């Protein structure tokens, strides 16, 4: 009996020593429980300004050429544009509303005629037309030509598609069509190619994706039969080759370009309207992309942009969430994935779109974010707590 008890004591002693040694080694090697990730709190709500009813886009621009950033919104519920002239310190003057076409859904700015003031091309979803507005020295716009489309234009983008140094237009039509308009340089456009493809296009974006100095096209298809982003390679004459599709999350709503992994090749950011996600695609360099990687957002992501917000030279993502009425900032790891959880900021009801703007025109300045609050008839400004602005984080052509 005494012998058995001694053996048991020795076993217990050895076990205790082994446990103590293991704990010491774990502590010495740093294998302790990590603290949960806490995203930096870089932005703060600054001010809101009234615009027209149900704004769907907000676009920064210096419309009166005074060196300060102004804002232009499309207000689909009141058939108007709102122009807010910037004061150069993050504040804006009261809006000036302009009556435009029926249900302006999207706009793009460009120098469409020969003067020095930015012009506007509008996708007028209720009027089945593209409307051109010419900029004036006072920051307002005057009506230009209108071009019928068939039908329901929902998104528009501009670039030089045929190499004549004049901006052209690409318009997404709700009935599964993509329409091209070729600019003349006088503010007028001629009808170009039209393509029928995909299922319910929701956004368009233009860039040279393979380094051949010809503009290519990315289109999100939000219908249930597709759920993909389509890449159309440009021919350099205003036409495109048949596209290649890349599977996204459900109901993709928007596509934009950035360089997530700093390889000087354009990558894709796609916002998915269903299942609260967004998808990143890393570019290969020849106009093709690796399979997408899905990441989580808050409820009802509707619009996103990619920038380096915290100055670590890694691309982050800002997303407005329509259902949860907040702005999410997700900080990038440098490979198209992100730290979790995001930093969320409460917004006015129904944030629908998002833009980044320069608060002043100095080289070192604080960048700001502005949301278009569809449910509140306003835009809301969020200012950075101190990080200086960096150039727009979009990769050059390879």
């Amino acid at each position: 009996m005494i012998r058995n008890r001694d053996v048991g004591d020795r076993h217990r002693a050895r076990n205790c020593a082994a446990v103590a040694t293991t704990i010491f080694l774990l502590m010495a090697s740093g294998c302790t429980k990590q603290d949960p990730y806490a995203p930096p709190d870089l932005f703060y709500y600054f001010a809101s300004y009234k615009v027209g009813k149900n704004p769907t886009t907000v676009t920064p621009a210096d419309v009166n050429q005074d060196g300060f950033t102004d804002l232009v919104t499309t207000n689909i519920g009141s058939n108007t544009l709102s122009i807010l002239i910037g004061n150069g310190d993050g504040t804006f003057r009261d809006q000036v509303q302009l009556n435009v076409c029926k249900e302006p859904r999207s706009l793009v700015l460009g120098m469409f005629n020969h003067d020095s003031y930015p012009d506007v091309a509008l996708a007028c979803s209720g009027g089945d037309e593209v409307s051109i507005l010419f900029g004036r020295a006072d920051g307002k716009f005057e009506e230009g030509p209108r071009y019928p489309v068939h039908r329901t234009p929902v998104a528009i983008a501009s670039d030089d598609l045929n190499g004549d140094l004049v901006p052209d237009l690409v318009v997404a039509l709700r009935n599964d069509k993509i329409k091209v308009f070729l600019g003349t340089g006088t503010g007028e456009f001629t009808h170009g190619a039209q393509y029928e493809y995909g299922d319910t296009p929701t956004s368009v974006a233009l860039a040279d994706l393979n380094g051949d100095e010809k503009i290519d096209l990315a289109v999100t298809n939000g219908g249930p039969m597709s759920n993909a982003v389509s890449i159309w390679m440009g021919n350099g004459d205003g036409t495109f080759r048949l596209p290649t599709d890349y599977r996204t999350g459900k109901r993709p709503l928007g596509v934009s370009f950035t360089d997530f992994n700093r390889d000087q090749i354009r990558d894709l950011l796609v916002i998915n309207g269903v299942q609260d996600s967004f998808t990143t695609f890393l570019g290969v360099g020849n106009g093709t992309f690796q399979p997408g990687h899905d990441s989580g957002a808050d409820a009802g992501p509707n619009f996103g942009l990619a920038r380096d917000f915290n100055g670590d030279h890694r691309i982050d993502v800002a997303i407005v969430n329509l259902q949860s009425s907040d702005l999410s900032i997700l900080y990038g790891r440098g490979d198209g994935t992100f730290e979790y959880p995001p930093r969320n900021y409460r917004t006015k009801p129904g944030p629908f779109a998002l833009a980044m703007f320069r608060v002043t025109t100095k080289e070192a300045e604080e960048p700001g974010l502005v949301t278009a609050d569809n449910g509140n008839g306003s835009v809301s400004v969020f200012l950075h707590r101190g990080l200086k602005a960096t150039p727009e984080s979009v990769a050059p052509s390879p």
Side-chain angles (χ1 to χ4, degrees):
M1 295 293 293
I2 295 175
R3 241 185 249 115
N4 288 341
R5 188 166 55 246
D6 289 343
V7 171
D9 290 342
R10 285 198 297 271
H11 279 303
R12 281 192 294 272
R14 281 197 296 269
N15 288 340
C16 290
V19 170
T21 302
T22 301
I23 292 174
F24 174 81
L25 291 173
L26 285 172
M27 293 177 66
S29 65
C31 296
T32 57
K33 183 178 180 181
Q34 292 184 349
D35 292 332
Y37 172 75
D41 183 14
L42 296 183
F43 289 89
Y44 64 97
Y45 169 79
F46 179 66
S48 291
Y49 299 89
K50 296 301 293 183
V51 296
K53 186 177 181 182
N54 303 124
T56 52
T57 63
V58 56
T59 304
D62 184 3
V63 297
N64 59 353
Q65 302 292 285
D66 65 352
F68 297 136
T69 299
D70 313 308
L71 300 175
V72 182
T73 69
T74 52
N75 310 312
I76 199 169
S78 55
N79 302 325
T80 61
L81 291 188
S82 289
I83 303 168
L84 296 92
I85 301 297
N87 297 316
D89 58 359
T91 67
F92 296 86
R93 302 175 205 171
D94 289 341
Q95 65 167 325
V96 173
Q97 275 199 58
L98 301 179
N99 293 316
V100 290
C101 56
K102 186 176 180 182
E103 296 181 9
R105 176 62 178 79
S106 179
L107 71 74
V108 65
L109 293 168
M111 310 301 286
F112 300 139
N113 56 14
H114 295 298
D115 66 20
S116 59
Y117 303 106
D119 309 310
V120 168
L122 286 169
C124 305
S125 60
D128 293 337
E129 62 183 359
V130 171
S131 176
I132 307 300
L133 306 176
F134 296 125
R136 305 188 323 199
D138 59 1
K140 297 181 182 179
F141 297 89
E142 61 186 35
E143 187 172 349
R146 298 189 179 197
Y147 301 95
V149 293
H150 186 271
R151 70 190 192 300
T152 316
V154 294
I156 190 167
S158 180
D159 210 320
D160 179 11
L161 303 180
N162 56 359
D164 63 357
L165 305 181
V166 174
D168 309 305
L169 301 174
V170 174
V171 187
L173 308 178
R174 186 53 60 86
N175 62 339
D176 307 340
K177 293 183 175 63
I178 301 296
K179 173 67 177 177
V180 174
F181 288 93
L182 299 177
T184 64
T186 64
E188 297 183 339
F189 293 83
T190 61
H191 287 269
Q194 180 167 292
Y195 302 93
E196 183 168 1
Y197 183 85
D199 182 13
T200 315
T202 52
S203 72
V204 289
L206 294 166
D208 179 6
L209 298 177
N210 61 351
D212 65 355
E213 299 184 354
K214 300 173 183 178
I215 297 299
D216 309 308
L217 170 65
V219 181
T220 50
N221 295 283
M225 302 300 293
S226 181
N227 291 319
V229 58
S230 301
I231 303 300
W232 303 66
M233 305 309 295
N235 294 315
D237 59 359
T239 65
F240 298 91
R241 301 192 286 277
L242 285 177
T244 300
D245 287 350
Y246 295 87
R247 193 75 174 174
T248 66
K250 288 190 175 180
R251 196 169 175 255
L253 297 176
V255 59
S256 57
F257 305 110
T258 191
D259 181 5
F260 285 114
N261 56 352
R262 292 187 294 174
D263 62 356
Q264 301 299 302
I265 296 172
R266 280 187 169 93
D267 308 317
L268 300 180
L269 169 66
V270 176
I271 306 301
N272 305 311
V274 176
Q275 293 184 341
D276 306 335
S277 72
F278 62 97
T279 308
T280 54
F281 296 86
L282 298 181
V284 175
N286 59 358
T288 65
F289 296 85
Q290 299 177 29
H293 180 276
D294 289 341
S295 300
D298 214 336
N302 199 71
F303 191 96
L305 60 84
R307 297 290 189 276
D308 176 14
F309 294 122
N310 60 350
D312 65 354
H313 304 291
R314 297 175 180 178
I315 296 300
D316 314 308
V317 170
I319 297 175
V320 286
N321 305 290
L322 189 60
Q323 295 176 19
S324 53
S325 289
D326 60 4
L327 164 64
S328 298
I329 310 290
L330 297 100
Y331 293 97
R333 297 184 177 125
D335 58 0
T337 66
F338 303 88
E339 302 287 353
Y340 278 88
R343 174 68 67 178
N344 292 329
Y345 299 92
R346 193 70 180 169
T347 67
K348 302 296 182 182
F352 204 86
L354 174 70
M356 188 172 179
F357 72 97
R358 292 183 177 273
V359 178
T360 70
T361 56
K362 298 177 182 178
E363 286 294 325
E365 61 187 27
E366 295 181 2
L369 293 172
V370 57
T371 63
D373 310 317
N374 186 269
N376 196 57
S378 65
V379 294
S380 295
V381 175
F382 293 81
L383 295 185
H384 203 286
R385 296 188 186 277
L387 180 71
K388 301 306 179 183
T390 55
E392 187 170 300
S393 301
V394 174
S397 299

